[in-house]
Amino acid sequence: MVKAIRVYEQGGPEVLKWEDVEIGEPKEGEIRVKNKAIGLNFIDVYFRKGLYNVSTMPYTPGMEAVGVVTAVGPGFTDRKAGDVVAYAGLPMGSYSEEQILPAKVAVPVPPSIDPIVAASVMLKGMTAQFLVRRCFKVESGHKVLIHAAAGGAGSLLCQWANALGATVIGTVSTEEKAAQAKEDGCHHVINYKKEDFVEAVKKITPEGVHVVYDSVGKDTFQGSLACLRSRGYMVSFGQASGAPDPVPLSDLAAKSLFLTRGSLFQYTETRDELLETAEEVFANVASGVLRVRVNHKYSLSQAAQAHADLENRKTSGSVVLIPDGAEL
């Protein structure tokens, strides 16, 4: 038996229960991993609250972790016991001291990358990679608007877009987060609590931005569209404030706008795509292009408190859960 977080019903952070679970041994094509560090992401909140549906109840949440392979199922030789591996995405279940994974979803972690850093950058880092490199390819001279610029994904997006030569505009909710966003490469920071971000963007660039990366959703969606220049790209990749209202196609016609709802899982469908994406993220961390802000660490058993703090905007950067007794 191992300890894990279990969820029996949708709801607030209080539905996260700390329990004993039996995970069994790896079958063909599977590995058993003892987790060292577990990434907490807003998608975990979406599933917990019911914004996204889970296939079975009860379930163990979590979609990102780094750990050590402790057992390998038959018929698979690419991974071996003792390997340090990371994964991000499906299957869900990383809020556990140990877990069974399909070997094909695990990627090797370079020795130069700390497990806590790797656990905090896999999902958010690969999300940043597909957003700025493939969903809309950011290039030198582009003007980019990034909402929640001090969040885990937002921080990495700002750094990556800046490194690619873009003019980066970020929105934040506090002066403390504004200072962090500036450190992370934002050339212009807008505190949306103090000023209307649409008007602020127009002052910075009257013609509008080339692309908006919006993980907030309902509260920012219409304003984001208003910030775009002709033929601009609206990239929605989250909905922290709730699902946006439906958009008539005619709303896009006035400026011939592009609208997409990107998801990492469609950009890492093949093993080669997954490895290439993770390798580029780890290379940028190792070279210093990306500075991972692990600003908050909680014991895995304190997952409910970590969820509450994330939802109440008390966190910035990445949030990591550490299993009790994990060797780091």
Side-chain angles (χ1 to χ4, degrees), residues 3 18 33-39 65-68 70 84 94 96-98 114-116 119 297-301 320-328:
K3 287 284 191 180
W18 182 237
V33 179
K34 184 174 184 179
N35 286 331
K36 287 175 168 284
I38 299 152
V66 171
V68 176
T70 59
V84 178
S94 66
S96 181
E97 292 176 332
E98 298 185 44
D114 183 273
I116 290 179
K297 300 174 189 175
Y298 297 79
S299 169
L300 177 57
S301 59
V320 176
L321 307 174
I322 309 294
D324 295 344
E327 296 180 7
L328 296 170

Side-chain angles (χ1 to χ4, degrees), residues 229-231 249-257:
R229 64 172 56 200
S230 177
R231 292 179 291 171
L249 283 175
S250 56
D251 283 6
L252 308 179
K255 292 189 283 186
S256 293
L257 300 178

Side-chain angles (χ1 to χ4, degrees), residues 47 62-63 87-93 101-102 105 123 265:
F47 278 110
M63 306 184 78
Y87 100 102
L90 298 173
M92 208 181 308
L101 286 172
V105 307
L123 191 65
F265 310 136

Side-chain angles (χ1 to χ4, degrees), residues 110-154:
S112 60
I113 306 295
D114 183 273
I116 290 179
V117 171
S120 68
V121 79
M122 268 294 284
L123 191 65
K124 290 177 278 287
M126 292 200 301
T127 296
Q129 194 274 353
F130 94 79
L131 287 173
V132 301
R133 302 281 284 139
R134 292 184 285 160
C135 188
F136 175 88
K137 193 172 178 62
V138 173
E139 298 176 351
S140 180
H142 281 154
K143 294 181 173 65
V144 174
L145 174 61
I146 298 169
H147 289 299

Side-chain angles (χ1 to χ4, degrees), residues 150-170:
S155 170
L156 298 175
L157 277 171
C158 292
Q159 295 176 60
W160 210 321
N162 179 55
L164 292 169
T167 297
V168 183
I169 306 168

